[in-house]
Amino acid sequence: MTTQPTDPGKRTSITSAADIDLNDWDFWGRPDEEREHAFRLLRDLDKPAFFPEPEFSLGGITGPGYHALVRHADILEASRNPEVFCSGDGGATNIPDLPAEFAEYFGSMINMDDPRHARLRRIVSRAFTPKMIKQFESDVDAAASRIVDELLETGPGCDFVTEVAARLPLKIICDMMGIPEKDYRFVFDRSNIVLGATDPEYVSERADIAHALLTAGMELQQLVQDLAALRMETPTDDLTSSLVNANIDGERLTAQELGSFFILLVVAGNETTRNAISHGMRLLTVNPEQRRLWLEDFEGRAPRAIEEIVRLAAPVNYMRRKVTRDHEMNGNLYRKGEKVLLYYWAANRDERVFDDPLRFDIRRDPNPHVGFGGPGPHFCLGAHLARREITAMFRELLRRVPQIEAGEPERLLSSFINGIKHMTCEF
């Protein structure tokens, strides 16, 4: 498996869909405008392009290939039909079927179908309702304020990602779970490995990627399982205590389910919100007229601004589904056992749905993006919390550091996460 893109000077230009290889790491190292052009070419095809499955260095079963769903309409319909386009047969976060030992640590809800998915979501969803999230509002606002306090003390030139964007969701999730502050860095580093294993900054090219992933997963699981053991003896008011002591219609989380859910929470809830904030800062920097509009009426324009940031950031590039039976969708036939990849990033730029889709417009309405996933049972459980955190962070930044600007982003090398690793800021 290639772990870094080739020399940009040696890249071939993309002039037709035949030039596109979504399995090539070089493709994911290209600038946004090149990838946007490529996905537009794919959207213009009569039917979804089919790609062979990539070489898989982590074990498991590599199948014959997958259909790349890049149109908004295809992703909506596939998302609404989980009984046809399933997540649990081999996993949703990878292209080849996930090895059993990886499913143990990285399965959780997004790699499940009903009834297992419904059972787990029913147990944990009570912590993520709008009513529950409202109870965290003061904590989120206070955390965002402290982060900007320290940003002003540090001064310009710092890394916006690690010093600002990453800190808020990390703190909120750890506080929700009852993870002490001394372990924040531990959680941060392990979550970087889980989602950035193909980037040599997080896992050396000489390292065993499978071993690095399993080790990070086991360490995160052990952290929360140790905490859960304490909460069973001495309950508190944190989420870990609620989950291990919950008895909803006679159902409880097993230790394994709790550990897998924690990995999902710190990875999905931390990394994705971090990247939305980072992308948002860059978008406001290169679109100063949109910054001025938001500053004129922050609270009034915040809801639409946040949705537009999430649309263009699309922190998760894709999720995978497997077809459970022969099925025709939007004029194309999918056979039982075939795989499809739902490219949210591409769907959020579909010119059939969004007027001038590459334009950043904080007043865009309607904005039916799929940045939190498509409709259906796998829509992001933490969407309300993510919106709250992004709003709080930009409220503090634009109120207290209105001239802050982001430098050129250093992107995560990943086909799965549309991530920014580092980005300087000036003010």
Side-chain angles (χ1 to χ4, degrees):
M1 176 183 289
T2 303
T3 55
Q4 59 184 358
T6 58
D7 182 347
K10 297 180 181 179
R11 289 175 177 155
T12 57
S13 61
I14 295 175
T15 58
S16 71
D19 299 323
I20 301 168
D21 181 3
L22 297 182
N23 297 323
D24 184 1
W25 285 108
D26 175 57
F27 176 83
W28 298 101
R30 290 175 181 264
D32 274 358
E33 57 270 20
E34 293 186 34
R35 288 187 289 135
E36 285 163 346
H37 171 64
F39 277 115
R40 178 160 192 164
L41 291 173
L42 293 177
R43 283 193 299 271
D44 286 341
L45 294 175
D46 292 336
K47 62 181 181 180
F50 187 84
F51 294 90
E53 294 191 20
E55 178 186 345
F56 196 47
S57 64
L58 307 183
I61 301 172
T62 300
Y66 60 92
H67 302 274
L69 303 189
V70 295
R71 290 186 182 180
H72 192 271
D74 285 341
I75 288 174
L76 290 191
E77 187 167 343
S79 299
R80 293 189 184 111
N81 289 280
E83 70 283 355
V84 176
F85 298 93
C86 76
S87 303
D89 186 358
T93 58
N94 46 284
I95 301 174
D97 288 352
L98 199 68
E101 63 269 26
F102 276 78
E104 180 181 354
Y105 296 109
F106 305 114
S108 198
M109 293 186 296
I110 56 176
N111 283 344
M112 293 180 187
D113 299 306
D114 289 342
R116 289 187 65 218
H117 173 269
R119 170 188 171 274
L120 187 56
R121 190 166 179 121
R122 181 167 58 249
I123 295 173
V124 303
S125 63
R126 296 189 179 188
F128 292 92
T129 63
K131 180 180 179 181
M132 291 297 294
I133 296 305
K134 191 170 182 61
Q135 297 179 13
F136 293 110
E137 283 186 359
S138 60
D139 294 338
V140 172
D141 292 343
S145 179
R146 286 195 298 273
I147 289 169
V148 174
D149 286 344
E150 294 175 19
L151 172 67
L152 292 170
E153 292 175 5
T154 303
C158 71
D159 186 337
F160 182 85
V161 177
T162 59
E163 298 301 319
V164 179
R167 292 181 58 196
L168 181 60
L170 178 68
K171 174 177 173 53
I172 296 304
I173 286 171
C174 286
D175 287 356
M176 286 173 63
M177 294 294 291
I179 305 295
E181 187 172 356
K182 67 179 179 62
D183 291 324
Y184 286 4
R185 185 72 198 189
F186 177 90
V187 173
F188 177 76
D189 289 342
R190 272 59 181 182
S191 65
N192 280 340
I193 292 172
V194 171
L195 282 184
T198 54
D199 191 304
E201 178 174 340
Y202 300 124
V203 177
S204 167
E205 293 179 78
R206 297 183 299 275
D208 183 331
I209 293 178
H211 181 265
L213 278 171
L214 281 173
T215 300
M218 287 188 289
E219 289 176 337
L220 287 171
Q221 280 210 347
Q222 192 62 55
L223 176 69
V224 75
Q225 287 173 354
D226 289 346
L227 180 62
L230 295 174
R231 295 297 187 261
M232 290 184 72
E233 294 181 3
T234 310
T236 64
D237 59 356
D238 60 41
L239 181 56
T240 300
S241 185
S242 298
L243 292 175
V244 299
N245 293 293
N247 189 327
I248 300 174
D249 298 329
E251 295 181 312
R252 294 179 182 270
L253 288 180
T254 67
Q256 177 61 52
E257 288 171 335
L258 177 64
S260 294
F261 174 69
F262 179 59
I263 293 175
L264 173 63
L265 189 63
V266 298
V267 170
N270 172 20
E271 295 274 354
T272 55
T273 305
R274 171 214 303 195
N275 285 311
I277 293 170
S278 300
H279 282 285
M281 190 70 258
R282 180 62 180 170
L283 286 166
L284 290 170
T285 297
V286 298
N287 296 277
E289 75 288 351
Q290 296 298 309
R291 181 200 300 255
R292 287 192 294 271
L293 279 173
W294 203 358
L295 282 167
E296 289 173 2
D297 181 11
F298 180 88
E299 298 300 336
R301 290 177 176 152
R304 290 183 185 174
I306 299 310
E307 298 307 311
E308 182 70 343
I309 286 172
V310 173
R311 179 183 77 87
L312 285 173
V316 176
N317 282 321
Y318 73 81
M319 285 287 177
R320 194 203 87 177
R321 302 289 186 260
K322 187 178 284 187
V323 183
T324 62
R325 62 175 183 264
D326 290 0
H327 180 76
E328 185 175 321
M329 180 177 73
N330 295 330
N332 294 299
L333 180 64
Y334 300 88
R335 298 290 187 182
K336 179 180 179 180
E338 291 185 334
K339 299 174 184 179
V340 298
L341 262 61
L342 282 58
Y343 280 100
Y344 305 119
W345 192 88
N348 281 349
R349 288 157 170 77
D350 191 339
E351 47 286 317
R352 296 162 185 79
V353 177
F354 303 98
D355 180 44
D356 195 2
L358 303 186
R359 185 183 78 246
F360 176 55
D361 181 3
I362 66 167
R363 294 180 292 185
R364 186 181 294 276
D365 184 44
N367 192 348
H369 68 80
V370 289
F372 289 120
H378 288 284
F379 183 81
C380 178
L381 186 64
H384 294 297
L385 179 59
R387 290 183 176 111
R388 179 66 198 170
E389 291 174 344
I390 299 167
T391 302
M393 197 71 258
F394 281 108
R395 178 186 292 114
E396 288 295 315
L397 287 168
L398 295 182
R399 180 175 65 86
R400 299 173 59 190
V401 203
Q403 300 305 317
I404 186 171
E405 294 188 346
E408 192 68 29
E410 182 180 344
R411 297 187 180 277
L412 178 72
L413 181 57
S414 171
S415 63
F416 182 63
I417 293 294
N418 184 34
I420 297 178
K421 297 188 297 182
H422 305 290
M423 185 172 67
T424 59
C425 63
E426 300 294 338
F427 51 90

